[in-house]
Amino acid sequence: MFEIKNISYEVSGGSRKKVLDSISLKIKGGSLIVITGTNGSGKSTLAQIIMGIKRPSEGQILLDKTDITNKTITERANFGLAFSFQQPVKLKGIKVYDLISIARGELVSEKEASKYLKQVGLNPDEYLLREINDKLSGGELKRIEIASVLARDAKIMIFDEPEAGIDLWSFENLTKVFKKLKAENRTLIIISHQDRILKIADEIIVLNDGKIKSHGTPAKILPKITGGKL
Amino acid sequence: MNLSEEEKQIFCEVIADNDVSRESGAWQGEDERASPVATGASDAARETSFRLSAPKGAYNFRVNGKSVGRKSTANIDIKTKQKKSGLDIYIKPGTKNETVHIPVAISATGLKEAVYNDFYIGDNSKVTIIAGCGIYNCGDQDSVHDGIHRFYVGKNAKIKYIEKHYGFGRGGGGKILNPTTEVYLEKDSEATLELEQIKGVDSTIRKTTAELEDNAKLMVKERLFTHGRQSAESLYEINLNGKDSTADLASRSIARDLSKQTFKATIIGNNKCRGHSECDAIIMDDAAVHAIPALNAKTKDAELIHEAAIGKLASDQINKLMTLGLTKKEAESRIINGFLN
């Protein structure tokens, strides 16, 4: 069980602004949660707070009843959390193979590293030894980012807008990967606007202006979204 | 060769970690030592036992101003200069896939030397030249090595030149290395320079110049790492004189602590040619980096490009690697090592 209790996040600058306002959630192990909402509603901030990239102004995060609110990113990673960034970073001089090995915590075989690249639609022969630099397109970087998260084999995987920059074929493939991970009892928290991802969710959480506006199954939430009521 | 542990350590540092010396069995460390940047290993930890065996091919090992081991081969002749300190190295035309090692070690505090090494590379040859200098200074006087290397590369010849610089020792005296590299490329020839300052050099002024004839090609890969209060200047002047000559200069550097770096690269296009220079630097702590890329096109057919980027170690890069389970320190080391490799 993963629990978020009364999480708030404020930024200062001119006037103080609450980006997140007392968010509380309980996420069952093995479920697929999609967090959606308009731009600026606080989705990515919430995801980053869960991973420890941002620290909340108030509130607690509990993983299997252990308070991880003050844990570092590394500690959370070692507790079994993984995070896919919305904007993947470039790492000059680090090859895709190196990144996969870092994610696995050991030097992996080419065969094993290739497995993760194939899952995101990248040809290992072409990409395994490529440097993660600005010669790669945004879509390629995004897929490498997701591959590194898949390689973590984590209990809880957070994906911040995984669809951004990904072509349709790879996206279809990615939704299959998400379903497979769910079948393996992984917990997935996905930030997304994408209809196909919303449809495979167990629960959808709609954020608006830093607050939970609605929360429920796709059957309950999707008609409201398509009807323009959310 | 009768060498002290420190001298062996220098040779292991400056001629190790390149494919050629590994293949040729040029050195054998006791252990598979990672880069100092990666491990943060102390000098003491690194001053373990080093075993060194003579490399294949031609070589000259210089220690404290004297040659302590030399071998010429059927195709590569190493001779002592008569009028000044240094070597004349003659490589016969058509010599293929041979190597020359000419490392230098200084372990005597207060030693100041200027060494002139001239390489005459025959037409149609293909050779690798491994140089590099290390200073161990445990005294209070400055130790200085000025290495002036000139390469006369014949028609259709190809050279790869690998140079590493390294300093260590806890004395108050400076470890100062000032390399000058001059490259003269005849028609259809090619030179690849890999220039690297590993660590521990207090002050350096690196001057590299090149003159390229028709269809000649120059590639330079420079890696610089400064720390403490070190200073490094890296100055390039590349003249693209020949038709369809090309130059590609890529410098990556990291400046830590209070160190200072200056990078100045001038590419001069005197003919139809292509030139590219790129300076990419990471600043950490209170260091400073000054980059001055300059292009001088003397004809409309000269295509010249420069890029320069200086920035700090990005927090999003560190965060990314931390989400993969590395600590902040491990993430920084990994990024630095990757950047410099």
Side-chain angles (χ1 to χ4, degrees):
Chain A
M1 173 75 84
F2 189 73
E3 192 174 358
I4 293 164
K5 288 171 97 173
N6 298 314
I7 287 288
S8 294
Y9 183 75
E10 285 185 7
V11 287
S12 51
S15 59
R16 293 179 77 81
K17 182 180 183 282
K18 264 196 172 177
V19 178
L20 293 174
D21 188 0
S22 294
I23 301 282
S24 292
L25 281 173
K26 283 184 181 176
I27 299 170
K28 278 192 293 185
S31 57
L32 195 164
I33 305 296
V34 178
I35 302 173
T36 194
T38 53
N39 288 338
S41 59
K43 306 181 297 295
S44 290
T45 302
L46 180 59
Q48 288 174 17
I49 284 173
I50 294 170
M51 193 63 213
I53 296 163
K54 285 186 173 150
R55 293 297 168 117
S57 315
E58 291 169 49
Q60 270 187 311
I61 300 169
L62 304 173
L63 175 60
D64 295 334
K65 295 184 182 168
T66 303
D67 187 345
I68 62 164
T69 317
N70 293 317
K71 300 289 181 194
T72 64
I73 302 170
T74 312
E75 287 168 327
R76 289 177 205 220
N78 293 331
F79 266 119
L81 269 74
F83 187 90
S84 168
F85 286 79
Q86 185 181 355
Q87 300 285 344
V89 296
K90 293 162 195 157
L91 295 157
K92 279 183 182 172
I94 295 181
K95 294 187 170 73
V96 174
Y97 170 80
D98 300 327
L99 193 70
I100 302 284
S101 288
I102 293 170
R104 295 294 305 148
E106 60 183 2
L107 282 178
V108 294
S109 66
E110 279 193 19
K111 189 180 170 188
E112 187 182 352
S114 301
K115 181 177 81 181
Y116 302 110
L117 293 186
K118 284 177 188 167
Q119 284 181 303
V120 293
L122 291 177
N123 178 358
D125 293 340
E126 196 181 334
Y127 287 94
L128 210 50
L129 298 178
R130 287 276 293 273
E131 192 178 308
I132 307 167
N133 59 21
D134 47 16
K135 288 181 181 158
L136 292 164
S137 71
E140 289 169 324
L141 287 166
K142 187 75 179 188
R143 285 190 265 182
I144 291 162
E145 168 71 13
I146 293 169
S148 73
V149 171
L150 297 177
R152 284 296 289 167
D153 204 17
K155 277 193 296 190
I156 299 172
M157 297 184 177
I158 305 156
F159 294 90
D160 192 354
E161 298 205 18
E163 67 268 24
I166 295 218
D167 63 78
L168 191 60
W169 184 88
S170 300
F171 183 67
E172 289 286 347
N173 216 38
L174 195 60
T175 54
K176 285 179 194 163
V177 171
F178 290 151
K179 284 178 189 169
K180 183 171 166 283
L181 289 169
K182 182 177 157 6
E184 290 170 359
N185 209 33
R186 310 302 168 88
T187 305
L188 302 179
I189 300 170
I190 305 174
I191 311 297
S192 181
H193 301 280
Q194 242 292 336
D195 199 38
R196 282 191 189 86
I197 291 184
L198 291 166
K199 280 179 180 164
I200 62 169
D202 292 315
E203 288 182 65
I204 298 172
I205 293 151
V206 184
L207 288 188
N208 185 40
D209 207 15
K211 293 179 181 169
I212 294 179
K213 190 172 184 186
S214 193
H215 183 189
T217 61
K220 179 184 161 192
I221 302 291
L222 283 174
K224 291 184 187 175
I225 293 174
T226 48
K229 291 178 183 169
L230 284 175
Chain B
M1 285 180 278
N2 187 18
L3 301 173
S4 68
E5 282 298 303
E6 290 80 15
E7 290 155 3
K8 286 183 203 170
Q9 179 173 345
I10 288 168
F11 288 137
C12 285
E13 289 288 355
V14 300
I15 65 176
D17 296 325
N18 63 73
D19 293 342
V20 175
S21 57
R22 270 191 201 288
E23 283 165 10
S24 64
W27 70 289
Q28 284 182 295
E30 281 290 297
D31 51 3
E32 198 60 36
R33 288 162 303 117
S35 145
V37 181
T39 60
S42 67
D43 283 348
R46 297 163 65 74
E47 286 169 16
T48 52
S49 180
F50 291 88
R51 286 183 285 131
L52 190 76
S53 52
K56 283 183 183 168
Y59 62 82
N60 184 83
F61 282 65
R62 181 184 175 101
V63 176
N64 295 328
K66 290 178 185 164
S67 175
V68 296
R70 180 181 299 176
K71 187 179 132 192
S72 293
T73 65
N75 294 322
I76 301 172
D77 193 13
I78 302 178
K79 290 183 183 281
T80 303
K81 273 191 187 296
Q82 296 305 310
K83 293 187 178 169
K84 52 187 172 184
S85 180
L87 303 168
D88 286 320
I89 296 158
Y90 299 93
I91 296 168
K92 281 185 183 169
T95 301
K96 298 282 185 195
N97 302 319
E98 293 200 28
T99 59
V100 187
H101 286 78
I102 51 156
V104 172
I106 294 176
S107 60
T109 187
L111 182 79
K112 294 180 174 68
E113 64 175 4
V115 180
Y116 297 81
N117 293 330
D118 291 333
F119 296 79
Y120 301 92
I121 297 123
D123 295 351
N124 301 307
S125 340
K126 186 180 177 190
V127 291
T128 300
I129 297 158
I130 297 139
C133 179
I135 296 177
Y136 169 68
N137 193 351
C138 60
D140 290 329
Q141 297 178 63
D142 289 350
S143 297
V144 183
H145 173 83
D146 294 348
I148 299 97
H149 288 179
R150 286 185 292 204
F151 299 89
Y152 300 94
V153 187
K155 291 183 181 66
N156 198 39
K158 289 183 181 171
I159 64 157
K160 182 175 184 183
Y161 173 63
I162 301 167
E163 177 191 273
K164 290 187 182 180
H165 284 167
Y166 171 60
F168 69 112
R170 293 200 170 83
K175 297 168 282 285
I176 301 165
L177 288 164
N178 298 313
T180 297
T181 307
E182 297 175 15
V183 186
Y184 302 92
L185 288 159
E186 289 191 31
K187 190 180 174 192
D188 298 323
S189 64
E190 195 175 305
T192 301
L193 313 183
E194 293 183 4
L195 313 172
E196 184 178 341
Q197 181 168 303
I198 308 166
K199 66 174 284 194
V201 178
D202 294 313
S203 169
T204 189
I205 300 174
R206 314 172 63 89
K207 292 180 186 167
T208 306
T209 60
E211 304 279 341
L212 283 78
E213 295 185 9
D214 286 357
N215 207 35
K217 195 172 177 184
L218 174 72
M219 283 152 292
V220 183
K221 180 178 157 187
E222 179 186 66
R223 298 292 180 261
L224 267 176
F225 176 67
T226 55
H227 55 103
R229 292 180 177 272
Q230 295 169 356
S231 69
E233 283 184 44
S234 184
L235 314 169
Y236 288 87
E237 185 178 308
I238 297 165
N239 280 283
L240 298 169
N241 303 325
K243 190 182 172 199
D244 294 324
S245 55
T246 62
D248 188 8
L249 162 59
S251 171
R252 283 188 186 173
S253 71
I254 293 189
R256 290 184 88 143
D257 306 325
L258 292 162
S259 65
K260 290 184 167 50
Q261 295 180 6
T262 300
F263 171 85
K264 185 176 181 185
T266 305
I267 300 181
I268 301 155
N270 294 314
N271 207 327
K272 178 176 176 285
C273 61
R274 277 183 293 122
H276 171 248
S277 81
E278 181 184 340
C279 164
D280 213 343
I282 292 176
I283 302 185
M284 299 171 76
D285 312 311
D286 295 314
V289 176
H290 187 194
I292 315 159
L295 304 176
N296 187 355
K298 295 191 176 175
T299 160
K300 63 181 169 44
D301 294 324
E303 293 177 32
L304 307 177
I305 298 170
H306 74 69
E307 299 169 77
I310 304 171
K312 62 183 180 183
L313 209 54
S315 61
D316 55 354
Q317 292 177 317
I318 296 167
N319 286 343
K320 169 62 195 168
L321 295 188
M322 288 176 75
T323 66
L324 300 181
L326 300 188
T327 63
K328 190 175 181 189
K329 200 173 173 184
E330 288 168 341
E332 284 179 359
S333 285
R334 196 72 204 228
I335 294 162
I336 289 170
N337 276 315
F339 183 75
L340 289 179
N341 283 334

